């Protein structure tokens, strides 16, 4: 709808997108990205170095996370990783929401409806991918600070 509105606006005498003819095309590409959002997140996760598959059926096949031994573990680092594992579902959902809103905001920045920068939207998208892979990131950080 946004692309259709943009193409229609280009033909009007009071064109709000004067000097920016690429806006309807960006909206058309983003509509495809929104339609295939799970595959976009899966590709972003593969780029981040994990094999996490994002799918719509994840809610029907949910298995609660388990921790090795007790919640506190042997070291403070083990406790942090165990707590992150327990809240992994929340972090993944919040990360996917961050990625989705980064794409929406990027469209608003391109159209001139937001004062944010396009680079800030990229940082928000990367932050969302990091939240989706929070167990991998937290394990990596604990291993760095352990040495």
């Amino acid at each position: 709808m946004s692309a259709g509105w943009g193409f229609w606006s280009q033909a009007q005498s009071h064109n709000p997108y004067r000097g920016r003819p690429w806006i309807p095309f960006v909206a058309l590409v983003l509509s495809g990205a929104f339609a295939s959002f799970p595959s976009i997140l899966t590709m972003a996760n593969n780029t981040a170095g994990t094999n996490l598959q994002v799918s719509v059926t994840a809610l029907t096949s949910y298995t609660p996370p388990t921790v090795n031994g007790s919640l506190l573990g042997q070291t403070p680092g083990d406790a942090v990783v165990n707590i992150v594992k327990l809240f992994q579902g929340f972090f993944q959902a919040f990360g996917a929401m961050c990625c989705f809103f980064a794409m929406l905001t990027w469209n608003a920045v391109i159209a001139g409806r937001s004062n944010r920068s396009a680079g800030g939207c990229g940082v928000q998208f990367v932050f969302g991918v990091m939240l989706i892979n929070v167990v991998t990131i937290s394990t990596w950080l604990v291993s760095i600070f352990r040495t």
Side-chain angles (χ1 to χ4, degrees), residues 88-98 131-132:
Q88 180 179 9
F90 167 76
F91 286 125
Q92 287 179 343
F94 188 71
M97 184 189 72
C98 284
L131 280 176
I132 292 172

Side-chain angles (χ1 to χ4, degrees), residues 65-141:
T66 58
V67 295
N68 299 334
S70 69
L71 178 63
L72 295 178
Q74 299 297 322
T75 64
D78 292 341
V80 168
V81 172
N82 286 342
I83 291 171
V84 166
K85 280 182 185 177
L86 290 177
F87 290 100
Q88 180 179 9
F90 167 76
F91 286 125
Q92 287 179 343
F94 188 71
M97 184 189 72
C98 284
C99 292
F100 182 75
F101 281 117
M103 291 171 56
L104 280 178
T105 305
W106 184 71
N107 187 25
V109 166
I110 294 297
R113 295 185 308 263
S114 177
N115 288 333
R116 288 181 56 183
S117 67
C121 296
V123 168
Q124 182 179 348
F125 191 85
V126 169
F127 177 72
V129 170
M130 286 175 60
L131 280 176
I132 292 172
N133 299 300
V134 71
V135 173
T136 306
I137 299 291
S138 64
T139 306
W140 175 70
L141 285 174

Side-chain angles (χ1 to χ4, degrees), residues 6-96:
F7 287 126
W8 181 79
S9 295
Q10 293 286 348
Q12 302 304 312
S13 60
H14 61 282
N15 179 7
Y17 303 127
R18 188 173 314 277
R20 296 179 290 180
W22 62 85
I23 292 175
F25 295 105
V26 168
L28 193 61
V29 168
L30 278 179
S31 68
F34 291 139
S36 61
F37 191 64
S39 0
I40 296 291
L41 287 181
T42 299
M43 286 188 289
N45 287 327
N46 290 338
T47 303
T50 63
N51 294 325
L52 186 66
Q53 297 292 318
V54 179
S55 68
V56 178
T57 60
L59 292 177
T60 59
S61 62
Y62 176 75
T63 56
T66 58
V67 295
N68 299 334
S70 69
L71 178 63
L72 295 178
Q74 299 297 322
T75 64
D78 292 341
V80 168
V81 172
N82 286 342
I83 291 171
V84 166
K85 280 182 185 177
L86 290 177
F87 290 100
Q88 180 179 9
F90 167 76
F91 286 125
Q92 287 179 343
F94 188 71

